Amino acid sequence: MTAYQQVATKLFLYILLVPITMSNSWSSTGSNQDTASYLDSKADNADKCIDDSKPAVSSCSSAEDSLCTDDGPVASSSNAVVLYRPTALHAFRQETKKYSFVKTELVIKQKWEDIGVAAVVWDAAVVLAEYLEKNSEEFSLRGKRVVELGAGTGLVSMVVALLGAKVIATDRKLALQFLQENIQDNFPCVKDENGLCEQDDKRISVKELDWGQNHKQFHPIFDYIVGADIVYIEETFEHLLETMLHLTSSSRKSRILLSCRIRYERDERFLKMMRSHFVVKEIHHDDKRDIKIYVGDRER
């Protein structure tokens, strides 16, 4: 791993995999400094697991539920830090994951070790895809124009396309080639005599979108703006909201569909920011995976 990837991995583990909760079940007299040292050691251990060439062994069904450690739940400080169940991030290290949507098998490649969080399938993406398929009459996507923010592996964009929409899957430059490969593997387009995809047949296109930076290059013509687990880094919130506002600026009917796991108070703060400009409603809660789906309609 490069030094940058190691730092990104530690940040990822702090933000997504180590919830700090009050707990009476786990108590300790350790200091806050002890807690920080412990978390650093676990992040370092996760780096070793990721770099380890040996097969990962895990009894956990989801990599989001656990840290890479052989220890059980551990608490430290007066605010108990409860670590998730043991794992070696096995689900993230799987090279491919298979799904069936709209009578179609999708094979999604993952590259956690090379790209990180943009190259794994998150529960929020699966839940959103399932919800859209199950509620295809209510959210009629056939013929609609859709843009996905932070598309990552492209699963949501693919399912939306299978449901009949014309989709632009977007992400930052680092993730684009991988995103494009996943989509091409699952959506081989009809090619012309020059070997190029015929545009009329291309249901999904891939474009770079860096929130708050180049969002104005996208004409606000979309019926739906969708995103799965894109709310977790507070520093991006203003840029994400700015991008949403631009993409919904031309049509009163533009809607936002946001699927996410609310992990911390800061995630709730983003929803509060959204409510200053959108009418935001929770329309689904997957209890098992603790994923919520929100719909946002622009206030005019």
Side-chain angles (χ1 to χ4, degrees):
M1 276 190 137
T2 65
Y4 173 81
Q5 288 172 322
Q6 289 174 347
V7 171
T9 298
K10 288 184 180 181
L11 176 60
F12 161 73
L13 292 170
Y14 276 114
I15 292 173
L16 300 180
L17 300 180
V18 189
I20 298 179
T21 62
M22 293 298 294
S23 172
N24 294 325
S25 301
W26 303 94
S27 60
S28 173
T29 57
S31 65
N32 290 333
Q33 184 176 2
D34 293 335
T35 302
S37 299
Y38 178 79
L39 295 178
D40 279 334
S41 71
K42 292 306 172 187
D44 289 336
N45 188 36
D47 286 341
K48 293 175 184 177
C49 290
I50 293 167
D51 288 334
D52 190 359
S53 60
K54 297 179 181 179
V57 178
S58 173
S59 60
C60 300
S61 60
S62 170
E64 290 187 64
D65 290 340
S66 45
L67 268 177
C68 180
T69 171
D70 293 328
D71 301 332
V74 178
S76 182
S77 84
S78 57
N79 291 339
V81 178
V82 181
L83 298 184
Y84 293 96
R85 293 173 296 169
T87 187
L89 297 177
H90 174 67
F92 286 171
R93 297 183 66 183
Q94 289 179 262
E95 291 186 2
T96 60
K97 300 190 79 171
K98 294 182 180 180
Y99 300 91
S100 180
F101 288 101
V102 199
K103 299 179 180 179
T104 303
E105 182 179 87
L106 300 174
V107 181
I108 309 296
K109 294 188 296 187
Q110 299 191 124
K111 285 188 177 180
W112 160 259
E113 295 173 344
D114 295 335
I115 303 175
V117 296
V120 294
V121 180
W122 293 94
D123 286 345
V126 179
V127 171
L128 180 56
E130 291 172 348
Y131 182 82
L132 289 174
E133 180 178 17
K134 184 177 180 180
N135 297 274
S136 58
E137 291 186 6
E138 179 182 357
F139 292 92
S140 178
L141 295 174
R142 184 162 300 280
K144 296 296 193 298
R145 296 164 296 188
V146 179
V147 59
E148 182 181 6
L149 306 180
T153 61
L155 175 64
V156 172
S157 287
M158 294 182 210
V159 174
V160 168
L162 288 172
L163 290 169
K166 190 88 169 181
V167 189
I168 300 179
T170 72
D171 214 314
R172 300 184 69 178
K173 186 175 183 179
L174 176 67
L176 287 186
Q177 181 177 344
F178 176 71
L179 173 59
Q180 182 72 65
E181 289 174 2
N182 256 330
I183 289 174
Q184 287 180 345
D185 288 347
N186 289 279
F187 280 75
C189 61
V190 177
K191 295 184 178 180
D192 61 21
E193 59 184 8
N194 297 316
L196 301 175
C197 288
E198 295 183 353
Q199 292 301 312
D200 290 343
D201 184 72
K202 197 170 183 181
R203 288 172 284 179
I204 310 178
S205 59
V206 175
K207 294 186 178 181
E208 179 184 358
L209 175 51
D210 193 350
W211 306 335
Q213 303 301 316
N214 68 326
H215 58 285
K216 292 188 178 179
Q217 296 176 11
F218 290 75
H219 297 297
I221 57 172
F222 301 102
D223 299 291
Y224 288 98
I225 295 89
V226 300
D229 226 342
I230 58 175
V231 178
Y232 58 93
I233 299 180
E234 192 166 16
E235 287 75 11
T236 67
F237 287 177
E238 289 188 7
H239 288 158
L240 175 56
L241 181 59
E242 181 182 355
T243 300
M244 288 178 171
L245 288 170
H246 170 72
L247 294 174
T248 58
S249 61
S250 292
S251 174
R252 293 178 61 88
K253 296 182 179 180
S254 295
R255 309 191 82 185
I256 292 174
L257 285 172
L258 198 60
S259 177
C260 53
R261 174 176 289 154
I262 302 299
R263 299 177 176 90
Y264 299 106
E265 289 184 8
R266 60 172 173 264
D267 303 340
E268 291 283 4
R269 284 198 291 273
F270 178 77
L271 294 176
K272 184 177 180 180
M273 291 168 63
M274 272 191 71
R275 290 187 175 101
S276 297
H277 305 277
F278 299 89
V279 177
V280 179
K281 297 178 181 179
E282 179 185 323
I283 57 173
H284 179 67
H285 184 199
D286 185 301
D287 294 328
K288 183 178 179 181
R289 288 169 285 195
D290 194 24
I291 301 296
K292 295 181 179 180
I293 298 178
Y294 299 90
V295 63
D297 294 299
R298 184 75 180 267
E299 290 186 329
R300 307 289 176 180

